[in-house]
Amino acid sequence: RETLVESGGGSVQAGGSLRLSCAVSGHTFSTYCMAWFRQTPGKEREGVAAIDSDDAMTYAASVKGRFTISRDNAKNTLYLQMNSLKPEETAMYYCAADPIARRPFTVMGRRVPAPLLEALNWGQGTQVTVSS
């Protein structure tokens, strides 16, 4: 099982930007499908952005044009550049890895079903707070 560690969260004003990072262990990072999710208290985790081993990308409709997912395979690191942040996007942001498939591509902009929550490898999360 891979180890994932998120960083880069913090507090920003509405309209501001943050860049999140997710460091992943292992020698096969380049073959993984990677994704970012977010969760607020009392709500289910939802998909934000995903990228596969061929650098194909997909996003939740609400973040298209503002967020960019990317990866640096030499550093075993996943990134999420978030621009024009909105207060409603205050949440704990998690990265996740799918070493065997592209399952995260099915839940962008949607709640993560319990079986997928259990199947993916997750980081501990990093808090993002956007003030109005």
Side-chain angles (χ1 to χ4, degrees), residues 9 13 24 27 47 52 56 60 64 80 91 94 99 115 121 127-128 131:
Q13 294 181 314
V24 183
H27 293 140
D52 71 8
K64 287 181 180 177
L80 184 67
Y94 298 88
N121 299 331
Q127 179 67 39
V128 171
S131 60

Side-chain angles (χ1 to χ4, degrees), residues 21-129:
S21 298
C22 175
V24 183
S25 66
H27 293 140
T28 54
F29 170 79
S30 63
T31 71
Y32 302 163
C33 177
M34 300 293 301
W36 289 97
F37 299 80
R38 63 190 178 194
Q39 186 170 20
T40 57
K43 308 202 80 173
E44 296 178 336
R45 196 166 298 184
E46 65 179 12
V48 176
I51 183 168
D52 71 8
S53 59
D54 295 320
D55 283 350
M57 306 169 196
T58 190
Y59 298 89
S62 63
V63 308
K64 287 181 180 177
R66 298 186 297 114
F67 289 14
T68 303
I69 189 170
S70 62
R71 64 196 301 159
D72 185 337
N73 291 335
K75 296 181 178 179
N76 278 200
T77 301
L78 176 74
Y79 302 97
L80 184 67
Q81 178 67 46
M82 304 185 293
N83 298 327
S84 301
L85 281 160
K86 304 174 180 180
E88 58 264 39
E89 292 172 323
T90 292
M92 185 73 75
Y93 282 71
Y94 298 88
C95 66
D98 190 338
I100 64 173
R102 301 199 330 160
R103 290 170 289 187
F105 272 63
T106 70
V107 293
M108 293 299 104
R110 303 179 180 182
R111 306 301 185 187
V112 182
L116 186 57
L117 191 68
E118 298 291 334
L120 299 179
N121 299 331
W122 299 94
Q124 81 289 343
T126 186
Q127 179 67 39
V128 171
T129 301

